[in-house]
Amino acid sequence: MILENGIGSNYRTLNNDPVSHFHDDRIEVEIYPSAWGKVSVSVSCDLLDFDSGVKQFDTQAAANLYATNIVSKLTTTLDSRLVENVIKRILDYSGK
């Protein structure tokens, strides 16, 4: 018997795993352990010709924060370009 109420406290949820910050197929993120106890991160986006190169951090948390910030900036740029292209297409079809 479950005695608490809250997220994940019942069996009705189909997927209990949270959505990752790195779920965008347009952006590739690699986070992996490297030598001397460091954590390496590489972020790339072919659509924007962006490649961060390999950055090394002392902790997993610092590596995740860096990757999350870069992915957020790239996603914002990609989404704004998508909106801009949709508006251009609508204007082209409307004859303006």
Side-chain angles (χ1 to χ4, degrees):
M1 179 175 185
I2 298 174
L3 301 176
E4 61 187 49
N5 290 326
I7 296 173
S9 64
N10 61 47
Y11 295 107
R12 292 176 285 185
T13 305
L14 295 176
N15 186 357
N16 289 327
D17 296 331
V19 176
S20 169
H21 292 285
F22 315 123
H23 70 280
D24 196 330
D25 292 336
R26 304 172 293 179
I27 303 169
E28 184 177 336
V29 178
E30 293 182 52
I31 301 175
Y32 53 92
S34 60
W36 302 287
K38 304 278 186 180
V39 179
S40 296
V41 177
S42 174
V43 181
S44 63
C45 176
D46 292 337
L47 295 173
L48 297 174
D49 293 328
F50 176 84
D51 186 9
S52 69
V54 177
K55 308 283 186 200
Q56 289 193 346
F57 297 91
D58 292 330
T59 64
Q60 179 78 27
N64 283 336
L65 179 61
Y66 171 78
T68 300
N69 289 337
I70 295 295
V71 167
S72 178
K73 289 178 185 178
L74 292 173
T75 302
T76 300
T77 302
L78 287 167
D79 290 347
S80 66
R81 285 187 178 183
L82 177 64
V83 169
E84 183 180 320
N85 287 336
V86 167
I87 291 172
K88 283 180 182 177
R89 266 202 151 154
I90 290 171
L91 291 175
D92 286 344
Y93 285 130
S94 69
K96 294 187 179 192

